Amino acid sequence: MRLTRPMLALGGAVAVLALAGCGSDGDQAAVPETATGSLEHLAAEVKCEPNMTTDADEIRQAVCKNTDGRFVLATFATDRGQREWLNGAKDYGGYYLVGRKWVAVGEEKTVTALQGRLGGTMEEGSAHMNPGGSHNSGSHNG
């Protein structure tokens, strides 16, 4: 199946809208070295059974649930494909844990907990779609 960029962006947007929500501030422990590997390997690292929603050459995407919460895990064939997906998806808000050729998307508390296992860099989507997010006044300090 060949996916176009608009289809990938739409898939990402749907995932973000389904999972986005307000999170709570959490203590952030030391971040481990960023994990690498297949979608299945990353899912095993965070103890979830991936429910595949997209399985294409350019992107593999699954919905996962573990003790940290519900999230979307996506892996990408290229760094450029990952960045294009992120640029489109972040317009819809949400919290993103970004590693090399992979992204986890979910509520802030879930993504923060995943960072403790997978490493990666936390990114936040558009402020207008994240009520109470760090881009809005009165939420996070720092």
Side-chain angles (χ1 to χ4, degrees):
M1 177 177 163
R2 174 105 171 112
L3 295 177
T4 63
R5 285 186 189 144
M7 287 172 61
L8 293 174
L10 178 61
V14 169
V16 169
L17 290 174
L19 296 175
C22 294
S24 61
D25 289 340
D27 295 332
Q28 188 169 355
V31 176
E33 184 175 331
T34 302
T36 59
S38 68
L39 189 140
E40 290 80 5
H41 174 78
L42 296 168
E45 289 288 321
V46 296
K47 297 177 176 39
C48 82
E49 184 67 35
N51 180 7
M52 296 299 290
T53 58
T54 305
D55 193 356
D57 291 339
E58 299 87 3
I59 182 175
R60 298 186 73 225
Q61 186 171 294
V63 175
C64 286
K65 183 177 180 183
N66 65 12
T67 58
D68 299 323
R70 217 178 122 116
F71 56 98
V72 170
L73 187 59
T75 56
F76 302 87
T78 65
D79 294 322
R80 180 178 176 185
Q82 176 186 20
R83 184 48 49 194
E84 288 175 354
W85 184 91
L86 273 168
N87 289 344
K90 287 172 82 175
D91 287 342
Y92 296 92
Y95 295 88
Y96 302 80
L97 182 60
V98 181
R100 178 114 200 296
K101 295 185 183 178
W102 62 264
V103 175
V105 185
E107 291 184 4
E108 181 180 21
K109 67 183 179 80
T110 302
V111 174
T112 299
L114 293 172
Q115 188 177 33
R117 295 188 188 143
L118 295 176
T121 305
M122 181 84 87
E123 297 184 21
E124 187 175 344
S126 175
H128 74 276
M129 294 300 287
N130 279 346
S134 63
H135 294 291
N136 297 310
S137 61
S139 99
H140 300 283
N141 296 325

